[in-house]
Amino acid sequence: MSDTPQTQHLGQMSSLPASPEEAQLDYVPNPRIDTTYLVRFVSPEFTSLCPVTGQPDFAHIVIDYAPGKTIVESKSLKLFLGSFRNHSGFHEDVTVGIGQRLNAEMKPDWLRIGGYWYPRGGIPIDVFWQSGPPPQGLWVPDQGVPGYRGRG
């Protein structure tokens, strides 16, 4: 038996999944299992579709997590996030759904997601979710996304 995990995307040609439900996230063993640390993924050009108008919604997504036994493989995460391009959902559902899926499958020690949605109809919407309090001793930096200020 090999120590290399079986993954669908790592080192393979992969197509963008048609939907988030079809997307497979790959997880590999945490290489620093005895260390408390934070991993951050940023998707500054995230898109999904408005469930009312069908028009694109744009967001800056920040995912922070403290790994447990596994880490998410970044290519599979990129494909998963890209699969929302043709997915209809309200900002709240999309943001929280991404966080909850990662939390349920990966089982990190802690996870938070910030969805900083660009204005539609003149109102920016920021959505935040976390799995619980961060682990003792974990350095949790600010997500670094300023509040929307318009053109001024």
Side-chain angles (χ1 to χ4, degrees):
M1 185 167 151
S2 172
D3 289 339
T4 305
Q6 296 299 315
T7 60
Q8 179 177 333
H9 302 292
L10 189 61
Q12 306 295 321
M13 292 291 293
S14 300
S15 299
L16 189 64
S19 70
E21 295 78 25
E22 292 180 23
Q24 177 180 329
L25 286 155
D26 289 337
Y27 302 94
V28 297
N30 179 355
R32 298 288 179 172
I33 192 73
D34 296 330
T35 304
T36 300
Y37 65 99
L38 185 121
V39 177
R40 173 171 289 166
F41 287 102
V42 178
S43 180
E45 298 177 347
F46 180 87
T47 61
S48 65
L49 298 176
C50 174
V52 176
T53 66
Q55 297 204 13
D57 286 325
F58 300 88
H60 184 125
I61 302 288
V62 181
I63 301 166
D64 292 325
Y65 74 94
K69 293 181 181 178
T70 63
I71 58 174
V72 66
E73 192 276 315
S74 61
K75 181 178 179 183
S76 73
L77 179 63
K78 177 182 76 170
L79 292 167
F80 170 60
L81 294 176
S83 73
F84 282 86
R85 181 172 300 163
N86 296 314
H87 173 78
S88 294
F90 289 108
H91 301 145
E92 297 84 352
D93 183 43
V94 170
T95 305
V96 175
I98 291 168
Q100 287 180 334
R101 177 159 174 196
L102 287 167
N103 192 58
E105 291 183 11
M106 184 172 37
K107 298 178 179 38
D109 291 340
W110 177 77
L111 184 140
R112 77 171 174 184
I113 184 169
Y116 302 85
W117 294 84
Y118 293 95
R120 294 235 4 214
I123 300 175
I125 299 174
D126 296 337
V127 181
F128 307 97
W129 180 83
Q130 68 181 27
S131 61
Q136 183 77 22
L138 179 67
W139 178 54
V140 181
D142 181 82
Q143 290 192 327
V145 181
Y148 184 75
R149 295 182 50 105
R151 290 191 166 157

